[in-house]
Amino acid sequence: MSDTIDRIRLSLVRVPLPVPVSDAKVLTGRQRPMTEVAVLLAEVGTAEGRTGLGFGYAKRAGGDGQFAHAREIAPVLLGTDPSDTGRRWTELAWAGATVGRSGLAAQAIAPLDIALWDLKARRAGLPLAKLLGAYRESVRCYNTSGGFLHEPVEAVCANASAALAAGIGGVKVKVGQPDTAADLRRVAVVREHLGAGVPLMVDANQQWDRPTARRMGRALEEFGLEWIEEPLDAYDTAGHAALAAALDTPVASGEMLAGAAEHAALIEYDAVDVVQPDAARIGGVTPFLTVATLAHHRHLRLAPHFAMEIHLHLAAAYPTEPWVEHFEWLEPLFAERIEIADGRMAVPTRPGLGLTPTDQARAWTVATAEFTA
């Protein structure tokens, strides 16, 4: 008889940020500064004593909702074989089908699905990347956490230098301010500081309309950017497609989409050059692999959003050279650290995701739910 799931623990953890963080959505009045990240940890155990760990997250809103929905659907896993990851994902989706298969519903599934994949890799004695079929032992990485708009450009330049000194290979800075001239000055200063050889990306966080995105895209061409990220509303597929066709600079998007089907539309209509799925937002590893297959079929570049602890493994299993985004925000939750050198993150050699929750993660936990067979 196959080993079966006999216990599940969900933990809602609130991770405080050192300082309030602002991107363009704050400067345009659409959101408040970010002060914390809500993380939903899922620990799935089996009758033979094995455990898998997964997590998802929410920024500004949604953490309580994810926890509540995960608590409703998690019991369907009890007594089932954790190796059947696709079947388990479908069961979780149907358990919450009345609220849909994207958005918060998918985000509540993600920690459980990721935990099942972590468990499967641990049982095999392999890092998740190796279980999936890795194409490389390390992945190019770039830093985002040092490039937010609450910091003056001098601080952004200092942060960029520190990131490069730490072995990170590229830098992304936030744009999308109401004053587009200020954006261009900011990018010009950072590019001059870095020099022409360092990969540089910009991220407008969906704050431009179509005419502004065209004008800014043309003005930014001179800086030799790796990509322009989220220049338009995340669901403006036609606008992204027209912009991508008009610019030499690659267009990137996808992080805000909350399901594999939404990414399929972005990919089908050639709306991006760089696709940016987020496993925690689209429902876990299972739908991420669907998106990655579609993206590779259309010869797109891959640069998963946030959650480097998960996406390092998934990016290593993408056929063409991807990027992984460096954020240190979640590091206090886990005992292990990712090795970074020469512009790349090394894929951990530990089984599964290679992560262990810390005492600090337990201390920041504000709610738990446990289920047993």
PDB file of all heavy atoms in Angstrom, residues 9 15 56 93 103 108-109 111 133 156 167 169 178 180 194 230 234 249-250 258 294 313 319 323 339 347 356:
ATOM      1  N   ARG A   9      -0.510  20.680   8.590  1.00  0.00           N
ATOM      2  CA  ARG A   9      -0.448  21.858   9.467  1.00  0.00           C
ATOM      3  C   ARG A   9      -0.338  23.099   8.598  1.00  0.00           C
ATOM      4  O   ARG A   9       0.536  23.185   7.724  1.00  0.00           O
ATOM      5  CB  ARG A   9       0.750  21.776  10.414  1.00  0.00           C
ATOM      6  CG  ARG A   9       0.905  23.002  11.322  1.00  0.00           C
ATOM      7  CD  ARG A   9       2.194  22.904  12.141  1.00  0.00           C
ATOM      8  NE  ARG A   9       2.433  24.103  12.916  1.00  0.00           N
ATOM      9  CZ  ARG A   9       2.054  24.281  14.188  1.00  0.00           C
ATOM     10  NH1 ARG A   9       1.400  23.318  14.816  1.00  0.00           N
ATOM     11  NH2 ARG A   9       2.321  25.408  14.822  1.00  0.00           N
ATOM     12  N   VAL A  15       5.441  38.471   8.263  1.00  0.00           N
ATOM     13  CA  VAL A  15       6.858  38.818   8.209  1.00  0.00           C
ATOM     14  C   VAL A  15       6.987  40.334   8.097  1.00  0.00           C
ATOM     15  O   VAL A  15       6.606  40.922   7.078  1.00  0.00           O
ATOM     16  CB  VAL A  15       7.540  38.151   7.003  1.00  0.00           C
ATOM     17  CG1 VAL A  15       9.027  38.487   6.974  1.00  0.00           C
ATOM     18  CG2 VAL A  15       7.318  36.644   7.031  1.00  0.00           C
ATOM     19  N   GLY A  56       3.079  29.938   0.440  1.00  0.00           N
ATOM     20  CA  GLY A  56       2.606  30.990  -0.446  1.00  0.00           C
ATOM     21  C   GLY A  56       2.668  32.290   0.315  1.00  0.00           C
ATOM     22  O   GLY A  56       3.123  32.329   1.461  1.00  0.00           O
ATOM     23  N   ALA A  93      -8.777  21.868  -6.100  1.00  0.00           N
ATOM     24  CA  ALA A  93      -9.509  22.854  -6.895  1.00  0.00           C
ATOM     25  C   ALA A  93     -11.014  22.599  -6.838  1.00  0.00           C
ATOM     26  O   ALA A  93     -11.812  23.539  -6.701  1.00  0.00           O
ATOM     27  CB  ALA A  93      -9.013  22.844  -8.335  1.00  0.00           C
ATOM     28  N   GLY A 103      -7.147  33.476  -8.684  1.00  0.00           N
ATOM     29  CA  GLY A 103      -7.183  34.425  -7.581  1.00  0.00           C
ATOM     30  C   GLY A 103      -6.861  33.779  -6.251  1.00  0.00           C
ATOM     31  O   GLY A 103      -5.992  32.908  -6.137  1.00  0.00           O
ATOM     32  N   ALA A 108      -4.533  29.773  -2.341  1.00  0.00           N
ATOM     33  CA  ALA A 108      -4.692  28.912  -1.170  1.00  0.00           C
ATOM     34  C   ALA A 108      -4.246  27.488  -1.451  1.00  0.00           C
ATOM     35  O   ALA A 108      -3.804  26.773  -0.549  1.00  0.00           O
ATOM     36  CB  ALA A 108      -6.147  28.926  -0.706  1.00  0.00           C
ATOM     37  N   ILE A 109      -4.364  27.052  -2.698  1.00  0.00           N
ATOM     38  CA  ILE A 109      -3.909  25.720  -3.090  1.00  0.00           C
ATOM     39  C   ILE A 109      -2.385  25.661  -3.127  1.00  0.00           C
ATOM     40  O   ILE A 109      -1.779  24.631  -2.799  1.00  0.00           O
ATOM     41  CB  ILE A 109      -4.487  25.336  -4.468  1.00  0.00           C
ATOM     42  CG1 ILE A 109      -5.995  25.162  -4.390  1.00  0.00           C
ATOM     43  CG2 ILE A 109      -3.830  24.070  -5.013  1.00  0.00           C
ATOM     44  CD1 ILE A 109      -6.653  24.937  -5.752  1.00  0.00           C
ATOM     45  N   PRO A 111       0.421  26.608  -1.439  1.00  0.00           N
ATOM     46  CA  PRO A 111       1.309  26.047  -0.409  1.00  0.00           C
ATOM     47  C   PRO A 111       1.171  24.539  -0.270  1.00  0.00           C
ATOM     48  O   PRO A 111       2.164  23.838  -0.031  1.00  0.00           O
ATOM     49  CB  PRO A 111       0.866  26.774   0.866  1.00  0.00           C
ATOM     50  CG  PRO A 111       0.194  28.018   0.394  1.00  0.00           C
ATOM     51  CD  PRO A 111      -0.467  27.640  -0.885  1.00  0.00           C
ATOM     52  N   GLY A 133      13.949  17.641 -13.579  1.00  0.00           N
ATOM     53  CA  GLY A 133      14.828  17.523 -14.730  1.00  0.00           C
ATOM     54  C   GLY A 133      15.571  18.813 -14.993  1.00  0.00           C
ATOM     55  O   GLY A 133      15.246  19.553 -15.923  1.00  0.00           O
ATOM     56  N   VAL A 156      19.518  53.914  -4.135  1.00  0.00           N
ATOM     57  CA  VAL A 156      19.328  52.824  -5.087  1.00  0.00           C
ATOM     58  C   VAL A 156      20.665  52.437  -5.716  1.00  0.00           C
ATOM     59  O   VAL A 156      20.970  51.239  -5.872  1.00  0.00           O
ATOM     60  CB  VAL A 156      18.306  53.231  -6.163  1.00  0.00           C
ATOM     61  CG1 VAL A 156      18.256  52.196  -7.289  1.00  0.00           C
ATOM     62  CG2 VAL A 156      16.925  53.398  -5.547  1.00  0.00           C
ATOM     63  N   GLY A 167      27.556  39.222  -5.334  1.00  0.00           N
ATOM     64  CA  GLY A 167      27.536  38.181  -6.345  1.00  0.00           C
ATOM     65  C   GLY A 167      26.312  38.136  -7.216  1.00  0.00           C
ATOM     66  O   GLY A 167      26.193  37.278  -8.090  1.00  0.00           O
ATOM     67  N   GLY A 169      23.774  39.213 -10.200  1.00  0.00           N
ATOM     68  CA  GLY A 169      24.190  39.523 -11.555  1.00  0.00           C
ATOM     69  C   GLY A 169      23.514  40.677 -12.248  1.00  0.00           C
ATOM     70  O   GLY A 169      23.967  41.126 -13.300  1.00  0.00           O
ATOM     71  N   PRO A 178       4.153  59.324 -11.329  1.00  0.00           N
ATOM     72  CA  PRO A 178       3.352  60.267 -12.125  1.00  0.00           C
ATOM     73  C   PRO A 178       4.212  61.180 -13.003  1.00  0.00           C
ATOM     74  O   PRO A 178       3.793  61.575 -14.094  1.00  0.00           O
ATOM     75  CB  PRO A 178       2.601  61.057 -11.048  1.00  0.00           C
ATOM     76  CG  PRO A 178       2.489  60.107  -9.894  1.00  0.00           C
ATOM     77  CD  PRO A 178       3.774  59.328  -9.903  1.00  0.00           C
ATOM     78  N   THR A 180       6.948  61.269 -15.396  1.00  0.00           N
ATOM     79  CA  THR A 180       7.736  60.363 -16.223  1.00  0.00           C
ATOM     80  C   THR A 180       9.161  60.870 -16.427  1.00  0.00           C
ATOM     81  O   THR A 180      10.088  60.063 -16.595  1.00  0.00           O
ATOM     82  CB  THR A 180       7.064  60.152 -17.586  1.00  0.00           C
ATOM     83  OG1 THR A 180       6.851  61.419 -18.221  1.00  0.00           O
ATOM     84  CG2 THR A 180       5.724  59.445 -17.425  1.00  0.00           C
ATOM     85  N   LEU A 194      26.039  51.994 -12.980  1.00  0.00           N
ATOM     86  CA  LEU A 194      26.355  50.592 -13.207  1.00  0.00           C
ATOM     87  C   LEU A 194      27.320  50.378 -14.362  1.00  0.00           C
ATOM     88  O   LEU A 194      28.092  49.418 -14.365  1.00  0.00           O
ATOM     89  CB  LEU A 194      25.067  49.805 -13.494  1.00  0.00           C
ATOM     90  CG  LEU A 194      24.038  49.697 -12.377  1.00  0.00           C
ATOM     91  CD1 LEU A 194      22.799  48.973 -12.882  1.00  0.00           C
ATOM     92  CD2 LEU A 194      24.607  48.974 -11.165  1.00  0.00           C
ATOM     93  N   GLU A 230       5.814  45.018 -16.584  1.00  0.00           N
ATOM     94  CA  GLU A 230       4.462  45.495 -16.287  1.00  0.00           C
ATOM     95  C   GLU A 230       4.250  46.958 -16.699  1.00  0.00           C
ATOM     96  O   GLU A 230       3.865  47.788 -15.895  1.00  0.00           O
ATOM     97  CB  GLU A 230       4.138  45.319 -14.806  1.00  0.00           C
ATOM     98  CG  GLU A 230       3.906  43.883 -14.420  1.00  0.00           C
ATOM     99  CD  GLU A 230       3.168  43.761 -13.102  1.00  0.00           C
ATOM    100  OE1 GLU A 230       3.526  44.447 -12.122  1.00  0.00           O
ATOM    101  OE2 GLU A 230       2.209  42.963 -13.039  1.00  0.00           O
ATOM    102  N   ALA A 234      -2.071  44.467 -16.004  1.00  0.00           N
ATOM    103  CA  ALA A 234      -1.683  43.069 -16.198  1.00  0.00           C
ATOM    104  C   ALA A 234      -2.617  42.316 -17.134  1.00  0.00           C
ATOM    105  O   ALA A 234      -2.201  41.338 -17.772  1.00  0.00           O
ATOM    106  CB  ALA A 234      -1.621  42.365 -14.848  1.00  0.00           C
ATOM    107  N   THR A 249      13.259  46.837 -26.926  1.00  0.00           N
ATOM    108  CA  THR A 249      13.427  46.355 -25.560  1.00  0.00           C
ATOM    109  C   THR A 249      12.373  45.298 -25.263  1.00  0.00           C
ATOM    110  O   THR A 249      11.188  45.518 -25.506  1.00  0.00           O
ATOM    111  CB  THR A 249      13.294  47.508 -24.551  1.00  0.00           C
ATOM    112  OG1 THR A 249      14.248  48.520 -24.863  1.00  0.00           O
ATOM    113  CG2 THR A 249      13.528  46.999 -23.131  1.00  0.00           C
ATOM    114  N   PRO A 250      12.751  44.149 -24.717  1.00  0.00           N
ATOM    115  CA  PRO A 250      11.758  43.119 -24.377  1.00  0.00           C
ATOM    116  C   PRO A 250      10.743  43.628 -23.354  1.00  0.00           C
ATOM    117  O   PRO A 250      11.065  44.449 -22.485  1.00  0.00           O
ATOM    118  CB  PRO A 250      12.605  41.988 -23.794  1.00  0.00           C
ATOM    119  CG  PRO A 250      13.963  42.180 -24.395  1.00  0.00           C
ATOM    120  CD  PRO A 250      14.134  43.672 -24.508  1.00  0.00           C
ATOM    121  N   ALA A 258      -3.288  35.083 -11.981  1.00  0.00           N
ATOM    122  CA  ALA A 258      -3.564  34.163 -10.885  1.00  0.00           C
ATOM    123  C   ALA A 258      -4.073  32.811 -11.360  1.00  0.00           C
ATOM    124  O   ALA A 258      -4.906  32.189 -10.722  1.00  0.00           O
ATOM    125  CB  ALA A 258      -4.560  34.788  -9.914  1.00  0.00           C
ATOM    126  N   LEU A 294       4.066  25.935 -22.022  1.00  0.00           N
ATOM    127  CA  LEU A 294       3.510  26.834 -23.038  1.00  0.00           C
ATOM    128  C   LEU A 294       4.516  27.908 -23.435  1.00  0.00           C
ATOM    129  O   LEU A 294       4.659  28.239 -24.619  1.00  0.00           O
ATOM    130  CB  LEU A 294       2.238  27.491 -22.497  1.00  0.00           C
ATOM    131  CG  LEU A 294       1.044  26.565 -22.249  1.00  0.00           C
ATOM    132  CD1 LEU A 294      -0.072  27.336 -21.541  1.00  0.00           C
ATOM    133  CD2 LEU A 294       0.542  25.957 -23.543  1.00  0.00           C
ATOM    134  N   HIS A 313      14.416  26.488  -8.157  1.00  0.00           N
ATOM    135  CA  HIS A 313      14.269  25.113  -8.639  1.00  0.00           C
ATOM    136  C   HIS A 313      13.509  25.065  -9.959  1.00  0.00           C
ATOM    137  O   HIS A 313      13.891  24.328 -10.885  1.00  0.00           O
ATOM    138  CB  HIS A 313      13.531  24.280  -7.596  1.00  0.00           C
ATOM    139  CG  HIS A 313      14.317  24.019  -6.355  1.00  0.00           C
ATOM    140  ND1 HIS A 313      15.136  22.928  -6.206  1.00  0.00           N
ATOM    141  CD2 HIS A 313      14.400  24.725  -5.187  1.00  0.00           C
ATOM    142  CE1 HIS A 313      15.702  22.953  -5.002  1.00  0.00           C
ATOM    143  NE2 HIS A 313      15.268  24.029  -4.369  1.00  0.00           N
ATOM    144  N   PRO A 319      14.086  24.971 -20.101  1.00  0.00           N
ATOM    145  CA  PRO A 319      15.089  24.605 -21.106  1.00  0.00           C
ATOM    146  C   PRO A 319      16.043  25.725 -21.501  1.00  0.00           C
ATOM    147  O   PRO A 319      17.234  25.465 -21.722  1.00  0.00           O
ATOM    148  CB  PRO A 319      14.243  24.150 -22.302  1.00  0.00           C
ATOM    149  CG  PRO A 319      12.969  23.665 -21.694  1.00  0.00           C
ATOM    150  CD  PRO A 319      12.719  24.593 -20.533  1.00  0.00           C
ATOM    151  N   TRP A 323      15.965  33.847 -15.618  1.00  0.00           N
ATOM    152  CA  TRP A 323      16.400  34.704 -14.520  1.00  0.00           C
ATOM    153  C   TRP A 323      15.588  34.347 -13.271  1.00  0.00           C
ATOM    154  O   TRP A 323      14.436  33.910 -13.386  1.00  0.00           O
ATOM    155  CB  TRP A 323      16.145  36.181 -14.824  1.00  0.00           C
ATOM    156  CG  TRP A 323      17.094  36.828 -15.779  1.00  0.00           C
ATOM    157  CD1 TRP A 323      16.937  36.969 -17.126  1.00  0.00           C
ATOM    158  CD2 TRP A 323      18.329  37.490 -15.458  1.00  0.00           C
ATOM    159  NE1 TRP A 323      17.996  37.656 -17.667  1.00  0.00           N
ATOM    160  CE2 TRP A 323      18.861  37.995 -16.664  1.00  0.00           C
ATOM    161  CE3 TRP A 323      19.030  37.699 -14.267  1.00  0.00           C
ATOM    162  CZ2 TRP A 323      20.073  38.695 -16.709  1.00  0.00           C
ATOM    163  CZ3 TRP A 323      20.229  38.387 -14.317  1.00  0.00           C
ATOM    164  CH2 TRP A 323      20.743  38.875 -15.521  1.00  0.00           C
ATOM    165  N   GLU A 339      23.144  29.970  -2.036  1.00  0.00           N
ATOM    166  CA  GLU A 339      24.490  30.421  -2.386  1.00  0.00           C
ATOM    167  C   GLU A 339      24.430  31.245  -3.675  1.00  0.00           C
ATOM    168  O   GLU A 339      23.835  30.814  -4.669  1.00  0.00           O
ATOM    169  CB  GLU A 339      25.410  29.222  -2.568  1.00  0.00           C
ATOM    170  CG  GLU A 339      25.632  28.421  -1.294  1.00  0.00           C
ATOM    171  CD  GLU A 339      26.562  27.242  -1.514  1.00  0.00           C
ATOM    172  OE1 GLU A 339      27.197  27.173  -2.589  1.00  0.00           O
ATOM    173  OE2 GLU A 339      26.649  26.384  -0.615  1.00  0.00           O
ATOM    174  N   VAL A 347      21.671  26.030  -7.333  1.00  0.00           N
ATOM    175  CA  VAL A 347      20.564  25.170  -6.946  1.00  0.00           C
ATOM    176  C   VAL A 347      20.991  24.356  -5.720  1.00  0.00           C
ATOM    177  O   VAL A 347      22.044  23.711  -5.740  1.00  0.00           O
ATOM    178  CB  VAL A 347      20.177  24.218  -8.088  1.00  0.00           C
ATOM    179  CG1 VAL A 347      19.069  23.260  -7.646  1.00  0.00           C
ATOM    180  CG2 VAL A 347      19.733  25.012  -9.314  1.00  0.00           C
ATOM    181  N   THR A 356      13.987  24.535   5.903  1.00  0.00           N
ATOM    182  CA  THR A 356      13.536  24.179   7.242  1.00  0.00           C
ATOM    183  C   THR A 356      13.025  25.435   7.934  1.00  0.00           C
ATOM    184  O   THR A 356      13.758  26.429   8.002  1.00  0.00           O
ATOM    185  CB  THR A 356      14.690  23.589   8.074  1.00  0.00           C
ATOM    186  OG1 THR A 356      15.330  22.555   7.330  1.00  0.00           O
ATOM    187  CG2 THR A 356      14.177  23.059   9.408  1.00  0.00           C
TER     188      THR A 356
END
